[in-house]
């Protein structure tokens, strides 16, 4: 196996460098083409906002046109040249993984163990997309065709067998968790959006998935209210009718930039007196806060502010950290499984030829022996002799086959044990 | 009765409760299924016990209906702490039945006629509604406490939403009140026709108080549009009155046998 993973990630490289080394989607076909033809190798490029990685491989017993060595420097040179950067600027930021370490690294990446937010689900999809893009450009060969689908299976196994992807890590999605503690069905619910902050938009996107009956948008600026309402399929309401809308709403999402609370305790008491529906959930994600925290009673009014939502985020991350060790164990197990399968796949035909060759020779020798001793052997003697030769053949093959199933790196001249066996036993291609 | 006693199924329910609590803090599929298995075993043995046991006790029948309710909930809401609230009520009823003896809570019909049986069936169904309302109320109060304390979602006991629990309690009251009213009215007619029981009998009085409590709940719920904690507390009071109806008469008459 000659597999290499070279790249940089959020762990090793500042964003200012990463953004210069990244590949845009339209650049990828050209980059893959240049990489595979320059180094005569198979390749997949994974380029996301948090990492830029090149996975390249060359099957050792395949004849190669290129004399270029497949190493970190060659790939650093390619990366620097492609982005028109001096290699001295690029090389210090790159990490290089060889063979088993490269396999392990890809599995860790796909399983989101190397992500900025451990357990996030996006990276598995990005790995899949990178492989599919590689396939379109004829980048992957037999090695990467085996490796990338296996990485996808590892990601799935880690996700299902450990709790690494459990819970919500974004503030906006955590808000939905709180809402679900109070409400069960949303087809009859009204959401009132106050303000038009960026975080509010994200949270509203999550709340819209609950399919509420109605979305109302109130903003000091009628134009902004209309714009937000258009974006979320809601209706704009005048700011002056805020109290009336608060009395009607079931869920309130507040994200104004007001310097003072817009709903004080006294004002809310007047609003609550007008309410005749069920409980009201207020998601106050504005800083400074829009609602007086004293209005929270946990029954008729449930107020959750940005700190409460962040507590979910922190708790989820803490929970996920507990699952890192079991996830790493799965990755290690799968790495060993992949390497074993790869060796078996690569060496299988050679082992088969070797076995067939020796079997033919054994049968020939035994046949000659039996012809020579014809009439002087009982049936029991014949069986014993046949058994003894089979045993000798198996003992003879045991050493070479065991050696083949262990990882055998190529020597300095690029020769492997497989080449040696072919020569020693004069195996035909 | 194949050697089945009340202790057999009470032990099964206790084991199911223990496993349910354990499962809430260490969620494992095996614990859930074991809990379910013990609950089902308890229900099966209780069914056999009730089929052969005479006289039949009110509280045993109530506990049996609630055990069915528990199994339905445990299967339907697999990840929720359903049993943590329902199983103690079942065990409480079994404990009272054991405490006051099998004759204490036997079905005493004012009249063994068809209407006497209808009266008993209606009161039993109303009592089931009260018990379901009690479980919903206990869960509601716990959920409200979790929300007040801003407990992180998914931490502590997992319960249905506040809205679902309020709805469950409301439905239990909506079903129980007409059944209880019809049962009480039939009982009144039977008492007028065959005055076997005195009007001052503690069971008659406590049933009257239970009906008035229900009336108050319905008036508060629909007249004053009251919801939430107060309704939940009143449901708990109604359950306590129901227990009084079941045991008070006997204990005032001379204690357990």
């Amino acid at each position: 196996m000659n597999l290499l993973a070279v790249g940089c990630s959020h762990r090793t490289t500042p964003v200012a460098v990463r953004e210069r080394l990244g590949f845009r989607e339209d650049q990828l076909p050209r980059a893959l083409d240049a990489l595979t033809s320059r180094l005569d190798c198979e390749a997949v490029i994974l380029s996301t906002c948090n990492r830029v990685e090149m996975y390249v491989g060359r099957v050792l017993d395949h004849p190669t046109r290129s004399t270029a060595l497949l190493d970190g420097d060659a790939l650093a040179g390619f990366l620097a040249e492609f982005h028109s950067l001096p290699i001295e600027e690029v090389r210090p930021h790159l990490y290089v993984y060889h063979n088993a370490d490269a396999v392990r690294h890809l599995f860790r990446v796909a399983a989101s163990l190397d992500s900025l937010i451990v357990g996030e689900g996006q990276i598995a999809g990005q790995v899949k997309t990178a492989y599919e893009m590689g396939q379109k450009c004829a980048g992957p060969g037999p090695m990467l065709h085996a490796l990338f689908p296996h990485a996808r299976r590892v990601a799935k196994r880690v996700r299902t067998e450990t709790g690494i992807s459990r819970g919500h890590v974004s503030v906006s999605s955590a808000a939905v968790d709180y809402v679900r503690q109070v409400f069960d069905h949303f087809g009859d619910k009204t959401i009132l959006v106050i303000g038009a902050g960026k975080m509010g938009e994200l949270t509203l996107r999550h709340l819209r998935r609950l399919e509420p009956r109605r979305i109302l948008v109130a903003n000091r600026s009628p134009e902004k209210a209309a714009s937000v309402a258009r974006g979320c399929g809601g209706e704009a309401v005048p700011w002056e009718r805020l109290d009336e809308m608060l009395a009607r709403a079931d869920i309130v999402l507040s994200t104004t930039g007001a310097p003072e609370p817009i709903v004080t305790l006294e004002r809310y008491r007047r609003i609550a007196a007008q309410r005749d529906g069920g409980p009201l959930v207020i998601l106050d994600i504005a800083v400074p806060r829009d609602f007086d925290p004293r209005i929270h009673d946990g029954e008729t009014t449930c107020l959750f502010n940005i700190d409460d939502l962040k507590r979910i985020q922190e708790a989820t991350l803490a929970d996920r950290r507990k699952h890192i060790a079991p996830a790493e164990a799965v990755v290690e197990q799968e790495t060993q499984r992949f390497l074993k399968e790869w060796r078996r796949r690569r060496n299988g035909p050679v082992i088969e030829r070797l076995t067939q060759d020796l079997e033919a020779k054994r049968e020939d020798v035994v046949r000659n022996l039996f012809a020579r001793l014809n009439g002087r052997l009982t049936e029991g003697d014949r069986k014993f002799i046949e058994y003894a030769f089979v045993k000798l053949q198996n003992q003879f093959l045991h050493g070479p086959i065991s050696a083949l199933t262990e990882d055998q790196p190529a020597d300095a001249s690029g020769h492997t044990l497989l080449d040696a066996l072919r020569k020693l036993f004069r195996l035909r291609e | 009765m194949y050697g089945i006693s009340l202790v057999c199924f009470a032990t099964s329910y206790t084991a199911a409760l223990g496993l349910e609590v354990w499962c809430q803090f260490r969620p494992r599929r095996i614990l859930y299924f074991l809990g379910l298995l013990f609950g089902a075993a308890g229900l099966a043995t209780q069914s056999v016990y009730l089929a052969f046991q005479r006289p039949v006790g009110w509280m045993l029948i109530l506990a049996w209906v609630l055990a069915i309710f528990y199994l339905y909930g445990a299967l339907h809401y697999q990840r929720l702490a359903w049993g943590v609230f329902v199983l103690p009520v079942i065990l409480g009823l079994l404990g009272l039945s054991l405490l006051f003896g099998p004759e204490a809570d036997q079905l005493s019909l004012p009249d063994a006629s068809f209407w006497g049986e209808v009266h008993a069936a209606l009161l039993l169904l109303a009592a089931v509604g009260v018990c379901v309302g009690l479980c919903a109320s206990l869960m509601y109060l716990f959920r409200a406490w979790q929300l007040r304390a801003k407990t992180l979602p998914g931490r502590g006991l997992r319960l249905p939403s506040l809205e679902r629990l309020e709805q469950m309690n409301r439905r239990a009251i909506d079903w129980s009140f007409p059944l209880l009213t019809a049962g009480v009215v039939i009982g009144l007619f039977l008492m007028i026709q065959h005055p076997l029981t005195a009007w001052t009998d503690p069971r008659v009085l406590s049933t009257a108080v239970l009906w008035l409590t229900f009336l108050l709940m319905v008036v508060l719920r629909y007249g004053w549009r009251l919801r939430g904690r107060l309704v939940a507390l009143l449901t708990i009071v109604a359950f306590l009155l129901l227990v009084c109806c079941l045991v008070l008469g006997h204990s005032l008459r001379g204690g357990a046998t």
Side-chain angles (χ1 to χ4, degrees):
Chain A
M1 176 182 262
N2 192 2
L3 177 69
L4 215 60
V6 177
C8 61
S9 73
H10 60 94
R11 290 188 193 280
T12 57
T13 316
V15 67
V17 179
R18 280 200 320 268
E19 64 192 10
R20 291 166 71 194
L21 295 177
F23 294 89
R24 290 193 316 270
E25 203 180 327
D26 59 307
Q27 289 179 319
L28 277 171
R30 191 162 57 87
L32 278 165
D33 191 45
L35 184 60
T36 50
S37 53
R38 176 176 168 152
L39 297 173
D40 189 25
C41 60
E42 41 182 302
V44 168
I45 296 175
L46 173 66
S47 182
T48 71
C49 53
N50 282 328
R51 66 183 65 246
V52 180
E53 287 177 346
M54 293 174 289
Y55 292 87
V56 295
R58 202 186 273 161
V59 179
L60 290 171
D61 51 340
H62 277 201
T64 169
R65 299 185 306 273
S66 170
T67 52
L69 270 178
L70 210 54
D71 62 9
D73 289 334
L75 285 158
F78 164 78
L79 200 58
E81 201 179 302
F82 190 88
H83 292 292
S84 310
L85 294 167
I87 191 163
E88 305 80 51
E89 264 187 43
V90 175
R91 187 67 183 93
H93 295 287
L94 300 181
Y95 44 73
V96 181
Y97 294 105
H98 293 273
N99 302 328
D101 291 335
V103 173
R104 192 175 293 111
H105 177 72
L106 176 64
F107 289 177
R108 289 188 78 250
V109 168
S112 190
L113 286 166
D114 198 48
S115 296
L116 187 62
I117 294 170
V118 173
E120 54 97 4
Q122 220 179 355
I123 187 68
Q126 287 167 332
V127 169
K128 185 177 169 226
T129 310
Y131 172 58
E132 284 168 354
M133 175 59 87
Q135 277 180 308
K136 277 184 202 163
C137 310
M143 193 186 293
L144 297 184
H145 274 313
L147 182 65
F148 274 79
H150 200 117
R152 212 164 70 216
R153 289 197 294 277
V154 175
K156 193 175 175 188
R157 204 184 141 196
V158 165
R159 212 169 43 245
T160 51
E161 289 183 19
T162 71
I164 198 118
S165 55
R166 247 181 245 152
H168 288 140
V169 282
S170 74
V171 164
S172 46
S173 56
V176 176
D177 285 351
Y178 273 122
V179 173
R180 281 193 182 281
Q181 285 195 319
V182 180
F183 295 122
D184 207 54
H185 50 274
F186 297 87
D188 59 345
K189 301 291 180 292
T190 299
I191 296 179
L192 171 65
V193 183
I194 309 173
K198 182 76 189 160
M199 184 71 96
E201 273 179 44
L202 283 171
T203 311
L204 184 57
R205 204 178 297 163
H206 285 279
L207 290 175
R208 278 185 69 194
R209 288 191 198 137
L210 301 173
E211 296 177 5
R213 183 172 63 95
R214 205 171 167 205
I215 298 175
L216 304 171
V217 182
N219 197 297
R220 283 184 208 275
S221 151
E223 293 78 27
K224 270 193 179 173
S227 159
V228 174
R230 262 197 308 278
C232 66
E235 51 187 287
V237 289
W239 183 255
E240 295 71 36
R241 288 176 62 200
L242 182 63
D243 286 11
E244 186 193 331
M245 294 302 129
L246 278 168
R248 284 193 201 168
D250 299 292
I251 300 162
V252 174
L253 175 62
S254 192
T255 63
T256 74
E260 298 283 323
I262 54 171
V263 180
T264 58
L265 183 62
E266 292 70 31
R267 184 177 177 182
Y268 186 74
R269 278 185 182 147
R270 286 196 298 274
I271 293 165
Q274 295 171 41
R275 287 181 63 82
D276 60 352
L280 173 66
V281 179
I282 302 168
L283 301 167
D284 182 2
I285 54 175
V287 181
R289 291 172 294 183
D290 287 337
F291 284 76
D292 189 324
R294 287 174 297 171
I295 68 173
H296 172 79
D297 64 10
E299 196 189 351
T300 54
T301 310
C302 300
L303 169 68
F304 302 104
N305 57 37
I306 193 80
D307 283 350
D308 299 320
L309 300 178
K310 278 188 176 160
R311 274 173 57 225
I312 295 189
Q313 190 184 30
E314 285 157 14
T316 303
L317 287 173
D319 269 357
R320 286 184 178 186
R321 278 194 282 275
K322 288 181 200 158
H323 294 278
I324 288 178
E328 293 278 11
V330 171
V331 166
E332 190 53 38
Q333 197 186 25
E334 289 293 337
T335 303
Q336 296 310 323
R337 180 181 291 173
F338 174 80
L339 293 171
K340 201 172 165 186
E341 277 172 14
W342 175 252
R343 276 178 226 127
R344 194 182 301 142
R345 200 169 136 182
R346 296 306 310 154
N347 302 331
V350 173
I351 292 171
E352 201 184 329
R353 280 202 296 277
L354 187 61
T355 312
Q356 281 171 355
D357 201 48
L358 276 178
E359 251 172 22
K361 283 174 181 159
R362 174 181 56 80
E363 281 168 7
D364 198 36
V365 168
V366 170
R367 205 170 31 246
N368 287 339
L369 186 66
F370 284 167
R372 185 82 184 255
L373 299 171
N374 193 18
R376 277 179 278 173
L377 294 173
T378 63
E379 193 56 31
D381 292 337
R382 291 170 76 94
K383 278 190 178 160
F384 180 78
I385 290 168
E386 270 184 19
Y387 170 75
F389 272 89
V390 169
K391 199 173 174 187
L392 178 70
Q393 178 197 316
N394 288 345
Q395 283 177 354
F396 183 77
L397 282 175
H398 179 73
I401 290 174
S402 301
L404 272 178
T405 51
E406 287 160 19
D407 194 18
Q408 294 293 333
D411 63 12
S413 59
H415 288 115
T416 62
L417 183 63
L418 215 57
D419 300 325
L421 278 173
R422 279 200 192 101
K423 277 190 180 172
L424 279 172
F425 291 95
R426 298 180 187 283
L427 298 173
R428 299 173 305 279
E429 278 299 328
Chain B
M1 274 198 306
Y2 312 110
I4 295 172
S5 69
L6 192 149
V7 177
C8 292
F9 44 87
T11 310
S12 283
Y13 293 138
T14 309
L17 175 63
L19 287 160
E20 184 97 16
V21 173
W22 189 4
C23 192
Q24 284 300 311
F25 294 99
R26 289 268 181 278
R28 300 277 183 281
R29 294 297 285 174
I30 183 76
L31 294 178
Y32 165 74
F33 284 118
L34 275 176
L36 213 58
L37 194 72
F38 273 102
L43 180 66
T45 45
Q46 191 178 359
S47 304
V48 174
Y49 182 84
L50 288 177
F52 292 96
Q53 171 74 10
R54 290 294 177 271
V56 179
W58 273 99
M59 282 184 265
L60 282 180
I61 293 180
L62 256 184
W64 182 74
V65 178
L66 277 179
I68 296 172
F69 177 65
Y70 154 68
L71 276 180
Y72 160 77
L75 285 167
H76 199 258
Y77 305 107
Q78 293 191 5
R79 298 188 63 211
L80 302 181
W82 190 260
V84 175
F85 290 88
V86 183
L87 285 167
V89 179
I90 296 173
L91 288 169
L93 288 170
L94 293 181
L96 284 172
S97 182
L98 194 68
L99 190 70
F100 289 97
E103 290 82 10
D105 68 325
Q106 64 181 282
L107 289 172
S108 59
L109 306 178
D111 187 355
S113 67
F114 169 75
W115 287 109
E117 283 173 11
V118 171
H119 163 75
L122 288 171
L123 289 185
L124 178 67
L125 288 173
V128 169
V130 175
C131 291
V132 171
L134 170 80
C135 297
S137 299
L138 291 174
M139 284 192 259
Y140 181 93
L141 292 174
F142 195 83
R143 177 52 109 188
W145 172 80
Q146 281 183 327
L147 282 165
R148 200 165 44 252
K150 294 189 177 180
T151 307
L152 291 175
R155 299 297 164 100
L157 294 182
R158 288 184 291 275
L159 292 171
S161 69
L162 209 60
E163 184 183 37
R164 170 62 61 94
L165 293 169
E166 210 267 339
Q167 192 184 52
M168 198 194 293
N169 190 19
R170 192 178 66 235
R171 281 188 185 158
I173 296 168
D174 290 352
W175 277 97
S176 303
F177 184 63
L179 293 169
L180 183 68
T181 307
V184 167
V185 169
I186 292 171
L188 279 174
F189 277 113
L190 290 173
M191 280 179 70
I192 292 164
Q193 279 188 328
H194 311 282
L196 298 173
T197 315
W199 290 93
T200 52
D201 185 291
R203 284 197 187 201
V204 175
L205 290 175
S206 53
T207 306
V209 176
L210 174 65
W211 185 81
L212 285 171
T213 310
F214 256 85
L215 183 68
L216 177 68
M217 270 199 291
V218 172
V219 169
L220 287 174
R221 178 72 188 79
Y222 292 103
W224 290 20
R225 290 182 174 276
L226 207 75
R227 327 165 54 124
R229 188 171 301 149
L230 190 61
V231 177
L233 290 171
L234 276 171
T235 311
I236 294 170
V237 171
F239 174 79
L240 294 175
L241 284 169
L242 173 77
V243 172
C244 284
C245 292
L246 295 175
V247 300
L248 194 66
H250 174 77
S251 55
L252 287 181
R253 279 202 302 268
T257 51

